[in-house]
Amino acid sequence: MRKRALSAATSFAVLFGSAAIVTGAVAPAAADSIVPLNVGTIGDMVVDGAHQRLFFSDTYNNRVVVTDFAGRFVQAVDNLPYVRDLDLSADSTTLYAALQNADKLVAIDTTQLAVTTEYPTGEGTKPSTVAAAAGRLWFGYGEAWDSELGSVDLTSATPTVALALTTGADWSSPPTLRTAPSAPDTLVAADGSISSGPVVVYDTGSGTPVLRTSTNRDGFVKDIEIAPDGKSVVAADRVTSLTRLSLTDLSEQEHYPVSWSAESVAVAPDGTVAGGTWDRDDVGDIFVFAGGSATPASVRDTKAWLPYGEMAWAPDSTRLFVPVQDSGQSSYSLRIYTAPKYHTTSVTVKAPAAAPINKALTVSGSLASTLPLPAGTPLTVTRYDAESPSGKALGTRAVAANGTFSFPDTPPAAGKVSYRVAYPGDAKHANSSGTAAVKVAPFPTYLKLDQNGRTVNYNTSVTYTASLGWTYRNRVVEIWSDPYGPEPKRLLKRGTVNSAGKLAVTVKMTRDSYVSAVFAGDTRSGAATATSAVNTRAGLTTALTRHYKWTKIGTIWYQTYHQTADPLVTAWHNPYPGRKTRYDLQVWYDGAWRYAGSDLIPLNSGGMVYFAFDGDGAAGVRARVRTSYIDDVSGDRVNSTNYGPWKYFNFTR
């Protein structure tokens, strides 16, 4: 049968039985795609429209790889030694494969994806091509000039193999074989290994191939396909390239102009012809001819190598599947062309990288096509921004005679602004679109937070007031506090500013803190942050106890101790892990206060510390002591330095 798609009749039945009919001449909107293939080689490809699957013979890996129509891997059928050619039964229930290194053909159930039957062809036959038609499997086998044509009769209870059936040809290698439901008693065989290889048409109605006509094509016939009309074949060769031949006498009926040498051909159920060629750089081009051979409807440069003869249409004639070997690599990928019968178009859009809000900018670009479009061709323009995330239509713009376009626009919103320029397509051109993005700067926003630079005492209430200037819509401000130390940043207040643009919050200060006012911005006003650094002195108290009286000396009151008593100092700071207090001790000597000692003493978990001075023999001594928290000296930097007041004491007998 025809190798790579359902027959025309089956295709139309599937199409009309499962899909809505769309009228009009608008090009399809789906995009072409490139999908990596999980194969090491590609010997052949078959399209199964009934199950929406593609089959690839992965020859060197001895398996058949199955994907869906999107190229996604479904399953592999393994243990198929050097599997080469594939063909699908007319009812799509069975895939036939030629296993060159196993001397047999096999049948694979297309639902279970497993081998169900084996057909040995004889020791040393090495079958490498296969075609199914009218209850028989035709296969090409052998090597070099010892190549032949054979068949397997599937109509008998025990399938029968017949060999050496060639007439009218001398094969230099196993011939490529083609059948089609539209010509059920016709078998076409072609030898593409030599420049003058024969093309032979056999009548197989009797079960034995009878020569109908033959010719020697000068140019390595690499691929051949029977057309849906059952009256012609299209051959791809390296000299005359792409040619339609009569199935009656193989006379030339039509020539398709392609560049360089043709390597593959696929004829869609609706008669559209696709040809794959190699250009002078040894990469593949795809030519598609719809409704005649004068001018290709589209030309696509794959920039990759096309395996011989591997190209196929979807059963509804809308998609073209082309496996390729990625340029300069050993990997393979699948090109899925969703609008192959339309001339390709491309829209290029350019815009400034950045622009201010509410100022005019210019968007420009071009529309190009493999079939030039006239001046005045309309393009639709849509702008996407924060105020119109679903898009705002800006009308149409016409292209100039050279395909270019240009128009001004004033973006009303800040942030990322995208312009999409689209060509809808027509009866000959595929649709396409292009986009360009502009970063639009917002209006600057005035935001201020007071209290910056203040230093306050521990547990002092401080009121922070944020002042917000003009904004477009958003009037919400957040005030955050970020205290020194491991305490997390916390939200103090979130609210809408009053009519004067003010938002205030009062906080009891316990640590040095960065307080910030944050405005998130809106579609036209920029985001803004204002900060205020406020230092908080450490909490501190100091007390002396165990004195027996108070004595006033000059203007200062002293706590008086017997020299047998030890003055007890009690100090407190707001607690923090590892925090210490520093005490300083001075004595009055020779008319001035003189240094007598200092130390750092750790606080307990409640922030308290207790220490005493030995008064033994100190009668007549006047002294003073103070405790202090000193930033970065007392064990941490959470608070600001705070020196306590001097506490005065003296000793008597």
Side-chain angles (χ1 to χ4, degrees):
M1 66 167 291
R2 183 178 177 279
K3 286 185 64 65
R4 296 179 177 84
L6 292 175
S7 67
T10 306
S11 300
F12 293 137
V14 171
L15 178 61
F16 293 132
S18 62
I21 300 174
V22 181
T23 61
V26 177
D32 296 342
S33 59
I34 302 175
V35 185
L37 285 174
N38 181 28
V39 297
T41 54
I42 295 179
D44 196 13
M45 176 183 69
V46 166
V47 175
D48 178 2
H51 301 97
Q52 298 282 292
R53 286 174 176 168
L54 305 176
F55 296 91
F56 300 89
S57 59
D58 189 355
T59 303
Y60 293 163
N61 290 324
N62 304 313
R63 63 180 187 165
V64 169
V65 172
V66 188
T67 75
D68 61 15
F69 269 15
R72 294 183 293 255
F73 180 80
V74 174
Q75 187 177 318
V77 183
D78 296 310
N79 302 315
L80 303 175
Y82 214 74
V83 57
R84 294 284 299 277
D85 209 24
L86 306 174
D87 199 16
L88 192 66
S89 64
D91 60 4
S92 295
T93 61
T94 306
L95 178 75
Y96 297 102
L99 308 187
Q100 181 173 323
N101 286 359
D103 295 330
K104 61 185 174 184
L105 309 177
V106 296
I108 299 171
D109 186 289
T110 53
T111 301
Q112 299 177 13
L113 299 179
V115 173
T116 56
T117 312
E118 297 183 354
Y119 306 102
T121 55
E123 184 178 354
T125 51
K126 297 184 180 298
S128 57
T129 62
V130 63
R136 280 182 169 76
L137 298 180
W138 302 97
F139 62 94
Y141 67 94
E143 294 179 298
W145 288 98
D146 189 18
S147 298
E148 262 291 355
L149 175 64
S151 72
V152 179
D153 185 357
L154 304 179
T155 61
S156 59
T158 302
T160 304
V161 176
L163 300 176
L165 300 177
T166 299
T167 58
D170 187 12
W171 308 116
S172 68
S173 63
T176 299
L177 303 176
R178 296 290 185 264
T179 60
S182 57
D185 296 330
T186 298
L187 173 67
V188 178
D191 186 344
S193 297
I194 57 174
S195 62
S196 58
V199 177
V200 182
V201 180
Y202 294 106
D203 190 313
T204 59
S206 64
T208 301
V210 176
L211 178 66
R212 180 186 300 168
T213 184
S214 66
T215 187
N216 288 81
R217 300 289 297 175
D218 185 16
F220 296 96
V221 176
K222 290 300 180 183
D223 197 14
I224 196 164
E225 287 288 342
I226 299 177
D229 61 9
K231 299 178 181 180
S232 61
V233 295
V234 181
D237 65 65
R238 292 184 174 180
V239 176
T240 56
S241 291
L242 210 58
T243 309
R244 184 184 294 273
L245 308 173
S246 167
L247 270 177
T248 302
D249 57 8
L250 292 176
S251 60
E252 293 191 8
Q253 296 180 327
E254 201 170 13
H255 184 72
Y256 299 89
V258 297
S259 64
W260 215 231
S261 62
E263 302 291 331
S264 57
V265 61
V267 185
D270 67 358
T272 301
V273 174
T277 70
W278 281 1
D279 60 23
R280 296 176 187 271
D281 296 324
D282 279 343
V283 293
D285 295 330
I286 305 297
F287 291 78
V288 177
F289 298 87
S293 60
T295 305
S298 70
V299 179
R300 287 170 168 81
D301 184 356
T302 67
K303 300 187 185 302
W305 182 75
L306 301 176
Y308 297 130
E310 307 317 321
M311 181 188 303
W313 288 90
D316 61 4
S317 303
T318 62
R319 282 169 291 177
L320 181 64
F321 302 106
V322 182
V324 302
Q325 184 174 354
D326 301 319
S327 181
Q329 302 180 41
S330 60
S331 59
Y332 288 81
S333 60
L334 178 67
R335 307 293 175 91
I336 304 173
Y337 298 108
T338 57
K341 293 183 286 186
Y342 294 85
H343 284 275
T344 57
T345 61
S346 62
V347 178
T348 302
V349 186
K350 297 179 181 179
I357 192 171
N358 214 31
K359 299 289 185 181
L361 55 82
T362 298
V363 179
S364 61
S366 61
L367 170 64
S369 175
T370 51
L371 179 65
L373 287 153
T377 298
L379 304 173
T380 60
V381 180
T382 308
R383 182 182 64 221
Y384 299 85
D385 56 34
E387 292 187 2
S388 303
S390 298
K392 178 179 177 60
L394 301 183
T396 60
R397 301 293 188 274
V399 299
N402 62 357
T404 62
F405 61 86
S406 178
F407 60 88
D409 186 59
T410 302
K416 180 182 178 181
V417 178
S418 297
Y419 293 90
R420 181 178 184 270
V421 181
Y423 169 66
D426 59 23
K428 294 184 178 181
H429 298 84
N431 61 17
S432 62
S433 64
T435 60
V438 184
K439 185 177 181 180
V440 176
F443 293 114
T445 299
Y446 173 85
L447 182 65
K448 185 178 180 181
L449 184 66
D450 63 2
Q451 305 294 353
N452 184 46
R454 284 189 63 187
T455 299
V456 299
N457 290 329
Y458 178 80
N459 227 22
T460 298
S461 294
V462 175
T463 298
Y464 295 89
T465 301
S467 301
L468 181 66
W470 178 90
T471 60
Y472 177 53
R473 287 180 178 170
N474 183 16
R475 301 296 289 165
V476 174
V477 170
E478 295 179 345
I479 300 179
W480 291 78
S481 176
D482 187 8
Y484 266 73
E487 283 191 15
K489 185 177 181 180
R490 66 183 188 273
L491 179 65
L492 301 178
K493 188 172 185 179
R494 182 181 189 275
T496 302
V497 298
N498 62 21
S499 59
K502 308 290 187 182
L503 180 72
V505 64
T506 300
V507 183
K508 281 188 177 294
M509 302 299 296
T510 59
R511 297 186 180 182
D512 294 347
S513 300
Y514 280 106
V515 179
S516 56
V518 179
F519 172 68
D522 55 35
T523 58
R524 302 188 184 186
S525 309
T529 299
T531 60
S532 181
V534 175
N535 295 323
T536 304
R537 301 181 185 92
L540 184 153
T541 61
T542 310
L544 285 174
T545 56
R546 297 178 179 173
H547 59 287
Y548 73 94
K549 69 174 181 177
W550 288 85
T551 303
K552 188 175 185 181
I553 303 174
T555 60
I556 299 174
W557 285 94
Y558 286 74
Q559 291 173 260
T560 302
Y561 294 83
H562 293 295
Q563 65 177 358
T564 57
D566 296 334
L568 178 66
V569 181
T570 301
W572 171 87
H573 296 305
N574 52 303
Y576 189 78
R579 180 167 287 187
K580 303 172 183 178
T581 190
R582 192 181 85 170
Y583 78 82
D584 294 294
L585 178 66
Q586 295 180 353
V587 296
W588 182 262
Y589 174 71
D590 198 19
W593 289 106
R594 312 290 181 176
Y595 173 79
S598 66
D599 199 3
L600 290 167
I601 305 176
L603 308 178
N604 65 22
S605 60
M608 302 296 296
V609 66
Y610 307 91
F611 59 93
F613 295 112
D614 185 0
D616 188 25
V621 173
R622 282 192 285 165
R624 64 180 184 178
V625 65
R626 70 178 178 185
T627 59
S628 306
Y629 168 88
I630 301 175
D631 191 357
D632 208 26
V633 171
S634 292
D636 62 81
R637 302 187 63 185
V638 170
N639 285 104
S640 294
T641 298
N642 191 7
Y643 292 98
W646 290 103
K647 297 294 183 178
Y648 294 83
F649 60 98
N650 67 326
F651 293 91
T652 65
R653 290 187 185 275

